[in-house]
Amino acid sequence: MSVRFLHSGDRALVVEFGDRIDHALSDRVLRLRASIRASNIPGVVETVPTFRSLLVLYDPLQIGSASLITSIEALLDQGARQARSARLWRIPACYDVSHAPDLPEVAERTGQSPEEIVRAHSETSFHVYMMGFVPGHPYMGDLPDSLALPRRKDPRMKVPAGSIAISGNLSVIYPIESPGGWHLIGASPVRLFDSAVAQPSLLSPGDKVRFCRISAVEFNEIRAAVETGNYSVPFEAPVHDAGP
């Protein structure tokens, strides 16, 4: 599919690669983002990746949209050849019923046992497609088709921070207490967003995530360590990804 350039006001340009949630499209988006960052195009202020496109914010006093499009077009083939480096995070997750109010319903609706749901979720290697909804909120795929469900018909007004949820072929972690309509199947005691540190969001687009199952007791122990600044989420970096 050809790349489309869409104007978003007079200070932003959308580079669109497709019309679906797809790992290959995400790789193209993230490789272009890396190429733009490395090229230091004058006037580019920020790049924001989504599932299928890249939003490029720019200063129109430094560069016009036509010149920006020309510069980006020159990077498209280069971006296709570049390998990206991403972190692999191992995030503790508690699937105990006290942290997973929707797990029994998910099991019933998918025709599986709660243990099978937990095993499938914790054994999935998730790809962080984008951040959105609230700061630090990762949209992660790709959940097995056997767990795919539509959103809840009755969204919650308050979802606790750290809740792990699923909908469709995606999984998320709520970084702060917020409304939500996804199915809650677990929770993590780690902090995903901290405005007091240099990099507030723990996860970034392109990162990989594996959930490490913990007990309710371990959840409380890690939560206490997080609150006192004595816990760091384990990760491996860099993980090189040349794309499909």
Side-chain angles (χ1 to χ4, degrees):
M1 182 175 292
S2 60
V3 176
R4 293 205 305 163
F5 293 91
L6 308 172
H7 296 282
S8 181
D10 61 356
R11 293 176 176 270
L13 184 70
V14 176
V15 187
E16 186 178 82
F17 288 92
D19 57 2
R20 64 191 184 278
I21 298 176
D22 180 89
H23 201 152
L25 291 184
S26 177
D27 283 333
R28 294 184 68 189
V29 170
L30 296 174
R31 285 197 296 269
L32 177 60
R33 185 194 195 198
S35 295
I36 291 176
R37 286 182 165 185
S39 65
N40 295 315
I41 301 173
V44 171
V45 177
E46 187 178 2
T47 54
V48 182
T50 73
F51 287 113
R52 58 192 181 90
S53 63
L54 184 69
L55 176 68
V56 182
L57 303 173
Y58 64 96
D59 181 352
L61 297 180
Q62 296 188 51
I63 189 170
S65 61
S67 296
L68 179 59
I69 290 173
T70 298
S71 297
I72 292 175
E73 285 178 330
L75 297 175
L76 289 173
D77 290 339
Q78 172 184 332
R81 293 192 301 269
Q82 284 189 345
R84 295 183 293 102
S85 61
R87 296 164 295 184
L88 169 60
W89 296 94
R90 300 192 180 276
I91 295 182
C94 179
Y95 299 95
D96 187 83
V97 67
S98 60
H99 295 288
D102 296 331
L103 185 56
E105 181 183 352
V106 169
E108 180 181 355
R109 293 181 62 181
T110 60
Q112 303 173 73
S113 69
E115 179 59 32
E116 288 173 322
I117 299 295
V118 171
R119 186 183 305 116
H121 188 267
S122 60
E123 290 180 354
T124 298
S125 180
F126 287 96
H127 169 77
V128 180
Y129 278 94
M130 60 174 283
M131 313 300 294
F133 182 52
V134 295
H137 185 281
Y139 286 90
M140 303 176 292
D142 300 285
L143 200 65
D145 289 339
S146 61
L147 300 187
L149 289 173
R151 292 166 55 91
R152 288 170 53 89
K153 293 181 179 179
D154 53 341
R156 293 178 171 89
M157 294 300 295
K158 292 183 178 181
V159 174
S163 294
I164 299 170
I166 61 173
S167 180
N169 291 105
L170 299 175
S171 186
V172 298
I173 311 172
Y174 289 81
I176 61 175
E177 181 181 89
S178 62
W182 292 34
H183 306 275
L184 308 184
I185 64 165
S188 177
V190 305
R191 183 177 291 133
L192 268 74
F193 185 81
D194 185 351
S195 61
V197 300
Q199 184 173 325
S201 179
L202 178 70
L203 304 178
S204 299
D207 282 353
K208 310 298 179 183
V209 171
R210 292 296 298 264
F211 288 100
C212 302
R213 189 173 184 177
I214 60 174
S215 67
V217 172
E218 291 172 312
F219 179 96
N220 292 331
E221 292 173 347
I222 295 175
R223 171 64 61 84
V226 169
E227 294 298 326
T228 58
N230 293 314
Y231 182 84
S232 297
V233 182
F235 69 91
E236 300 171 18
V239 177
H240 293 290
D241 180 7

